Amino acid sequence: MAFLTLDRKKLKENYNYLNNLFEEHNIDWAIVTKMLCGNKAYLKEVFDLGIKQVCDSRVSNLKAIKSVNPHIETIYIKPPPKRSIPSIVRYADVSMNTTFETVKLLSEEARRQGRKHKIIIMVEMGELREGVMRDDVVDFYSTVFEMPNIEVIGIGTNLSCLYGVLPNQDKLIQLSLYKQLIENKFNKKIPYVSGGSSVTIPLINQGLLPETINHFRVGETLFLGTNVYDGSQFDFMHNDVFKIYAEIIELFEKPTVPQGDMGSNLEGETFEFDQEKSHERSCRALIDLGLLDIEEKRLIPADDTFELAGASSDMIVINLGDNERNLKVGDLLEFKTDYMGALRLLNSRYIDKRVI
């Protein structure tokens, strides 16, 4: 058995810190829930925090969100696929867009459904993921402003997710200037400059965030207490809202060096070992968790004397050294993880999810 826990008290404390920070700087924010993979029990914990707006990148997750709380505002946070337009209009109150043809389809579908669909136009600011090229921004807005059943509520950008391009004051000032240019040229009001994500939070603390940046989309820092800007942890936030527990299913003292002719493992990897250590032995535990659920490098043992020795599809090997804790088969080992590890675990149907 293996299971994942969400600590509601620690999540609430992380939320309160961020919410106070954003309120002090007149910033609206949405929680990015995509790492929860539509888990309704965990979504309910998020809604109970008091947030008014959530973001996700999967239509099935948006559907789950609306089934738990039909009144919360939902944002689809990647360019909408054309084949998913009807569902996106149904389950997303807002979508982030970069393509004229897609917005036209959203407009037509919103008319069919009798809805007003809100959009945020994403601008390319150097990350080379999604975004309208800067030279085309004014022309883009001139067309979408005229579309029926579409309400343009913001301009935004995404940084750091693909190549690690970091936000800075200059880039965010440029984004703000585009907002001012468009408002002045078209005599329209654009409420949101959605230039913030987890990676942008340190700019607030450093006094480098332009005042015009008034909307953030935050997931990782809320759930994991991560300072995404440099990969560290915020001292004043919990990094163990999520914990993983995996049962020991075998425990023997074994050699630390494999014996026999060496080929490649199931992932095509080959290994070399120091044969001079072939006499060394260690207590090796197999746990009921594998690569189907999480990459081994994403697991952080709560006991830092433990060493991850390797993994296969449904088991991971842990070196326990001398097993000073006298662990035995059936005991649970505790781990923390990072963002991608939590994402994989939450997406695994083999892992039980609990709230504590």
Side-chain angles (χ1 to χ4, degrees):
M1 168 181 281
F3 58 90
L4 182 71
T5 63
L6 180 149
D7 188 316
R8 60 161 60 99
K9 180 175 182 291
K10 291 179 179 178
L11 178 64
K12 179 66 173 177
E13 290 173 357
N14 280 3
Y15 172 83
N16 287 341
Y17 171 79
L18 290 173
N19 198 51
N20 291 337
L21 177 67
F22 292 135
E23 283 186 350
E24 288 172 8
H25 293 84
N26 299 311
I27 294 169
D28 291 326
W29 70 297
I31 293 177
V32 181
T33 57
K34 62 184 178 181
M35 71 179 293
L36 302 183
C37 299
N39 183 282
K40 291 185 178 181
Y42 286 179
L43 287 170
K44 183 179 183 302
E45 295 300 320
V46 167
F47 302 151
D48 287 347
L49 296 172
I51 198 72
K52 304 300 183 186
Q53 200 179 61
V54 296
C55 306
D56 215 299
S57 59
R58 303 286 181 176
V59 174
S60 59
N61 294 348
L62 291 171
K63 184 177 181 180
I65 288 165
K66 286 295 191 182
S67 71
V68 176
N69 185 343
H71 305 295
I72 198 161
E73 188 168 52
T74 50
I75 304 176
Y76 186 78
I77 54 169
K78 65 181 179 182
K82 290 183 178 181
R83 292 173 178 81
S84 300
I85 293 292
S87 296
I88 289 170
V89 171
R90 183 170 293 111
Y91 298 115
D93 301 299
V94 185
S95 62
M96 293 184 164
N97 285 270
T98 60
T99 306
F100 168 76
E101 291 81 2
T102 302
V103 179
K104 186 172 184 291
L105 291 173
L106 289 167
S107 171
E108 293 168 353
E109 183 60 35
R111 178 184 55 79
R112 280 191 287 270
Q113 294 189 24
R115 298 169 182 259
K116 176 80 74 172
H117 186 72
K118 302 173 185 177
I119 65 171
I120 296 172
I121 307 302
M122 301 298 282
V123 180
E124 171 56 57
M125 299 297 293
E127 177 71 1
L128 302 182
R129 201 177 75 167
E130 79 274 23
V132 178
M133 297 304 293
R134 279 169 272 185
D135 290 346
D136 300 326
V137 167
V138 173
D139 288 342
F140 193 98
Y141 273 88
S142 70
T143 56
V144 299
F145 273 138
E146 304 304 320
M147 290 187 183
N149 297 80
I150 293 292
E151 180 183 357
V152 182
I153 65 165
I155 186 170
T157 195
N158 175 77
L159 294 166
S160 87
C161 288
L162 183 63
Y163 292 118
V165 175
L166 294 170
N168 59 31
Q169 191 176 46
D170 179 61
K171 286 184 181 296
L172 297 177
I173 287 174
Q174 288 182 49
L175 184 67
S176 301
L177 289 174
Y178 279 112
K179 182 250 192 188
Q180 295 172 21
L181 172 64
I182 292 162
E183 285 186 332
N184 292 335
K185 184 174 179 63
F186 299 103
N187 194 28
K188 299 279 189 178
K189 180 66 176 175
I190 299 177
Y192 286 148
V193 182
S194 187
S197 62
S198 289
V199 73
T200 321
I201 291 171
L203 297 187
I204 302 177
N205 296 324
Q206 297 165 17
L208 297 176
L209 185 78
E211 291 183 2
T212 46
I213 304 298
N214 63 0
H215 187 258
F216 269 57
R217 315 172 304 270
V218 177
E220 181 171 351
T221 298
L222 170 67
F223 293 112
L224 299 173
T226 315
N227 180 342
V228 180
Y229 198 91
D230 61 10
S232 64
Q233 294 287 329
F234 285 120
D235 293 336
F236 35 81
M237 297 186 75
H238 298 288
N239 64 7
D240 58 351
V241 169
F242 289 113
K243 288 184 180 179
I244 309 100
Y245 297 88
E247 183 177 338
I248 297 174
I249 56 176
E250 178 190 295
L251 199 163
F252 289 115
E253 184 181 273
K254 295 186 178 183
T256 60
V257 175
Q259 300 170 352
D261 296 332
M262 301 292 289
S264 57
N265 69 3
L266 60 86
E267 292 191 289
E269 298 173 309
T270 58
F271 298 88
E272 292 184 3
F273 291 87
D274 184 353
Q275 293 302 318
E276 292 184 0
K277 297 182 178 180
S278 59
H279 65 284
E280 296 181 1
R281 301 177 70 84
S282 174
C283 288
R284 292 167 68 89
L286 302 186
I287 59 173
D288 193 17
L289 192 69
L291 295 175
L292 278 170
D293 313 299
I294 188 172
E295 294 176 280
E296 59 177 304
K297 66 182 180 181
R298 306 291 181 184
L299 282 177
I300 306 165
D303 188 327
D304 59 12
T305 66
F306 295 168
E307 177 186 13
L308 278 73
S312 58
S313 59
D314 51 11
M315 289 182 286
I316 293 175
V317 182
I318 310 290
N319 272 338
L320 305 181
D322 295 331
N323 191 19
E324 294 178 355
R325 291 168 52 187
N326 294 316
L327 293 165
K328 59 186 183 300
V329 170
D331 287 343
L332 294 171
L333 296 186
E334 178 187 318
F335 303 88
K336 293 188 296 184
T337 188
D338 60 9
Y339 180 83
M340 291 305 298
L343 185 64
R344 284 277 296 272
L345 287 163
L346 279 152
N347 196 44
S348 174
R349 63 187 178 92
Y350 302 110
I351 303 299
D352 189 22
K353 287 85 178 178
R354 306 177 183 180
V355 177
I356 59 173

